[in-house]
PDB file of all heavy atoms in Angstrom:
ATOM      1  N   THR A 281     -29.346  -5.409 -19.583  1.00  0.00           N
ATOM      2  CA  THR A 281     -28.028  -5.991 -19.747  1.00  0.00           C
ATOM      3  C   THR A 281     -27.614  -6.662 -18.446  1.00  0.00           C
ATOM      4  O   THR A 281     -27.601  -6.039 -17.396  1.00  0.00           O
ATOM      5  CB  THR A 281     -26.999  -4.907 -20.111  1.00  0.00           C
ATOM      6  OG1 THR A 281     -27.436  -4.252 -21.288  1.00  0.00           O
ATOM      7  CG2 THR A 281     -25.637  -5.508 -20.341  1.00  0.00           C
ATOM      8  N   LYS A 282     -27.305  -7.924 -18.537  1.00  0.00           N
ATOM      9  CA  LYS A 282     -26.849  -8.670 -17.369  1.00  0.00           C
ATOM     10  C   LYS A 282     -25.333  -8.584 -17.299  1.00  0.00           C
ATOM     11  O   LYS A 282     -24.641  -8.675 -18.310  1.00  0.00           O
ATOM     12  CB  LYS A 282     -27.262 -10.149 -17.457  1.00  0.00           C
ATOM     13  CG  LYS A 282     -28.751 -10.367 -17.568  1.00  0.00           C
ATOM     14  CD  LYS A 282     -29.431 -10.136 -16.248  1.00  0.00           C
ATOM     15  CE  LYS A 282     -30.902 -10.492 -16.376  1.00  0.00           C
ATOM     16  NZ  LYS A 282     -31.545 -10.679 -15.134  1.00  0.00           N
ATOM     17  N   LEU A 283     -24.817  -8.378 -16.103  1.00  0.00           N
ATOM     18  CA  LEU A 283     -23.381  -8.263 -15.880  1.00  0.00           C
ATOM     19  C   LEU A 283     -22.919  -9.371 -14.955  1.00  0.00           C
ATOM     20  O   LEU A 283     -23.724 -10.070 -14.339  1.00  0.00           O
ATOM     21  CB  LEU A 283     -23.056  -6.898 -15.263  1.00  0.00           C
ATOM     22  CG  LEU A 283     -23.462  -5.672 -16.083  1.00  0.00           C
ATOM     23  CD1 LEU A 283     -23.232  -4.400 -15.280  1.00  0.00           C
ATOM     24  CD2 LEU A 283     -22.700  -5.632 -17.385  1.00  0.00           C
ATOM     25  N   ARG A 284     -21.640  -9.509 -14.839  1.00  0.00           N
ATOM     26  CA  ARG A 284     -21.054 -10.443 -13.873  1.00  0.00           C
ATOM     27  C   ARG A 284     -20.657  -9.675 -12.625  1.00  0.00           C
ATOM     28  O   ARG A 284     -20.318  -8.504 -12.679  1.00  0.00           O
ATOM     29  CB  ARG A 284     -19.814 -11.114 -14.458  1.00  0.00           C
ATOM     30  CG  ARG A 284     -20.124 -12.053 -15.581  1.00  0.00           C
ATOM     31  CD  ARG A 284     -18.863 -12.669 -16.114  1.00  0.00           C
ATOM     32  NE  ARG A 284     -19.183 -13.657 -17.129  1.00  0.00           N
ATOM     33  CZ  ARG A 284     -18.334 -14.088 -18.028  1.00  0.00           C
ATOM     34  NH1 ARG A 284     -17.087 -13.638 -18.038  1.00  0.00           N
ATOM     35  NH2 ARG A 284     -18.687 -14.980 -18.907  1.00  0.00           N
ATOM     36  N   GLU A 285     -20.693 -10.378 -11.502  1.00  0.00           N
ATOM     37  CA  GLU A 285     -20.263  -9.777 -10.242  1.00  0.00           C
ATOM     38  C   GLU A 285     -18.838 -10.234  -9.950  1.00  0.00           C
ATOM     39  O   GLU A 285     -18.540 -11.428 -10.027  1.00  0.00           O
ATOM     40  CB  GLU A 285     -21.189 -10.182  -9.101  1.00  0.00           C
ATOM     41  CG  GLU A 285     -20.844  -9.539  -7.789  1.00  0.00           C
ATOM     42  CD  GLU A 285     -21.858  -9.859  -6.695  1.00  0.00           C
ATOM     43  OE1 GLU A 285     -22.844 -10.563  -6.975  1.00  0.00           O
ATOM     44  OE2 GLU A 285     -21.644  -9.409  -5.569  1.00  0.00           O
ATOM     45  N   LEU A 348     -19.795  -4.792 -10.522  1.00  0.00           N
ATOM     46  CA  LEU A 348     -20.418  -5.499 -11.629  1.00  0.00           C
ATOM     47  C   LEU A 348     -19.768  -5.040 -12.919  1.00  0.00           C
ATOM     48  O   LEU A 348     -19.431  -3.866 -13.068  1.00  0.00           O
ATOM     49  CB  LEU A 348     -21.919  -5.199 -11.683  1.00  0.00           C
ATOM     50  CG  LEU A 348     -22.740  -5.510 -10.438  1.00  0.00           C
ATOM     51  CD1 LEU A 348     -24.177  -5.054 -10.632  1.00  0.00           C
ATOM     52  CD2 LEU A 348     -22.677  -6.976 -10.091  1.00  0.00           C
ATOM     53  N   ALA A 376     -20.414 -14.149  -9.558  1.00  0.00           N
ATOM     54  CA  ALA A 376     -21.700 -14.566 -10.110  1.00  0.00           C
ATOM     55  C   ALA A 376     -21.825 -14.119 -11.558  1.00  0.00           C
ATOM     56  O   ALA A 376     -21.215 -13.140 -11.975  1.00  0.00           O
ATOM     57  CB  ALA A 376     -22.848 -13.979  -9.290  1.00  0.00           C
ATOM     58  N   ASP A 377     -22.653 -14.845 -12.304  1.00  0.00           N
ATOM     59  CA  ASP A 377     -22.964 -14.492 -13.688  1.00  0.00           C
ATOM     60  C   ASP A 377     -24.395 -13.971 -13.762  1.00  0.00           C
ATOM     61  O   ASP A 377     -25.216 -14.241 -12.881  1.00  0.00           O
ATOM     62  CB  ASP A 377     -22.837 -15.724 -14.600  1.00  0.00           C
ATOM     63  CG  ASP A 377     -21.403 -16.179 -14.766  1.00  0.00           C
ATOM     64  OD1 ASP A 377     -20.507 -15.319 -14.819  1.00  0.00           O
ATOM     65  OD2 ASP A 377     -21.176 -17.409 -14.838  1.00  0.00           O
ATOM     66  N   ASN A 378     -24.694 -13.272 -14.832  1.00  0.00           N
ATOM     67  CA  ASN A 378     -26.056 -12.815 -15.124  1.00  0.00           C
ATOM     68  C   ASN A 378     -26.710 -12.069 -13.979  1.00  0.00           C
ATOM     69  O   ASN A 378     -27.811 -12.408 -13.535  1.00  0.00           O
ATOM     70  CB  ASN A 378     -26.936 -13.992 -15.555  1.00  0.00           C
ATOM     71  CG  ASN A 378     -26.439 -14.624 -16.843  1.00  0.00           C
ATOM     72  OD1 ASN A 378     -25.981 -13.921 -17.738  1.00  0.00           O
ATOM     73  ND2 ASN A 378     -26.508 -15.943 -16.909  1.00  0.00           N
ATOM     74  N   VAL A 379     -26.046 -11.052 -13.485  1.00  0.00           N
ATOM     75  CA  VAL A 379     -26.577 -10.230 -12.399  1.00  0.00           C
ATOM     76  C   VAL A 379     -27.232  -8.998 -13.007  1.00  0.00           C
ATOM     77  O   VAL A 379     -26.632  -8.319 -13.846  1.00  0.00           O
ATOM     78  CB  VAL A 379     -25.454  -9.811 -11.423  1.00  0.00           C
ATOM     79  CG1 VAL A 379     -25.980  -8.904 -10.339  1.00  0.00           C
ATOM     80  CG2 VAL A 379     -24.793 -11.045 -10.825  1.00  0.00           C
ATOM     81  N   ASP A 380     -28.452  -8.712 -12.596  1.00  0.00           N
ATOM     82  CA  ASP A 380     -29.155  -7.511 -13.054  1.00  0.00           C
ATOM     83  C   ASP A 380     -28.635  -6.325 -12.249  1.00  0.00           C
ATOM     84  O   ASP A 380     -28.809  -6.278 -11.028  1.00  0.00           O
ATOM     85  CB  ASP A 380     -30.661  -7.687 -12.845  1.00  0.00           C
ATOM     86  CG  ASP A 380     -31.465  -6.512 -13.349  1.00  0.00           C
ATOM     87  OD1 ASP A 380     -30.880  -5.525 -13.849  1.00  0.00           O
ATOM     88  OD2 ASP A 380     -32.707  -6.579 -13.241  1.00  0.00           O
ATOM     89  N   PRO A 381     -27.998  -5.345 -12.902  1.00  0.00           N
ATOM     90  CA  PRO A 381     -27.419  -4.216 -12.151  1.00  0.00           C
ATOM     91  C   PRO A 381     -28.473  -3.364 -11.441  1.00  0.00           C
ATOM     92  O   PRO A 381     -28.162  -2.680 -10.482  1.00  0.00           O
ATOM     93  CB  PRO A 381     -26.674  -3.405 -13.213  1.00  0.00           C
ATOM     94  CG  PRO A 381     -27.192  -3.870 -14.519  1.00  0.00           C
ATOM     95  CD  PRO A 381     -27.737  -5.243 -14.330  1.00  0.00           C
ATOM     96  N   THR A 383     -30.893  -4.483  -9.662  1.00  0.00           N
ATOM     97  CA  THR A 383     -31.279  -5.106  -8.389  1.00  0.00           C
ATOM     98  C   THR A 383     -30.183  -5.009  -7.337  1.00  0.00           C
ATOM     99  O   THR A 383     -30.400  -5.385  -6.194  1.00  0.00           O
ATOM    100  CB  THR A 383     -31.631  -6.598  -8.595  1.00  0.00           C
ATOM    101  OG1 THR A 383     -30.467  -7.286  -9.061  1.00  0.00           O
ATOM    102  CG2 THR A 383     -32.764  -6.760  -9.573  1.00  0.00           C
ATOM    103  N   ARG A 384     -29.015  -4.546  -7.719  1.00  0.00           N
ATOM    104  CA  ARG A 384     -27.887  -4.455  -6.785  1.00  0.00           C
ATOM    105  C   ARG A 384     -27.646  -3.013  -6.402  1.00  0.00           C
ATOM    106  O   ARG A 384     -27.163  -2.219  -7.211  1.00  0.00           O
ATOM    107  CB  ARG A 384     -26.620  -5.037  -7.404  1.00  0.00           C
ATOM    108  CG  ARG A 384     -26.679  -6.517  -7.742  1.00  0.00           C
ATOM    109  CD  ARG A 384     -26.930  -7.402  -6.518  1.00  0.00           C
ATOM    110  NE  ARG A 384     -26.073  -7.112  -5.405  1.00  0.00           N
ATOM    111  CZ  ARG A 384     -24.893  -7.677  -5.168  1.00  0.00           C
ATOM    112  NH1 ARG A 384     -24.451  -8.596  -5.965  1.00  0.00           N
ATOM    113  NH2 ARG A 384     -24.185  -7.324  -4.128  1.00  0.00           N
TER     114      ARG A 384
END
Side-chain angles (χ1 to χ4, degrees):
T281 303
K282 301 285 185 163
L283 301 173
R284 292 180 175 160
E285 183 175 358
L348 303 176
D377 291 324
N378 297 322
V379 177
D380 182 359
T383 63
R384 297 299 311 269

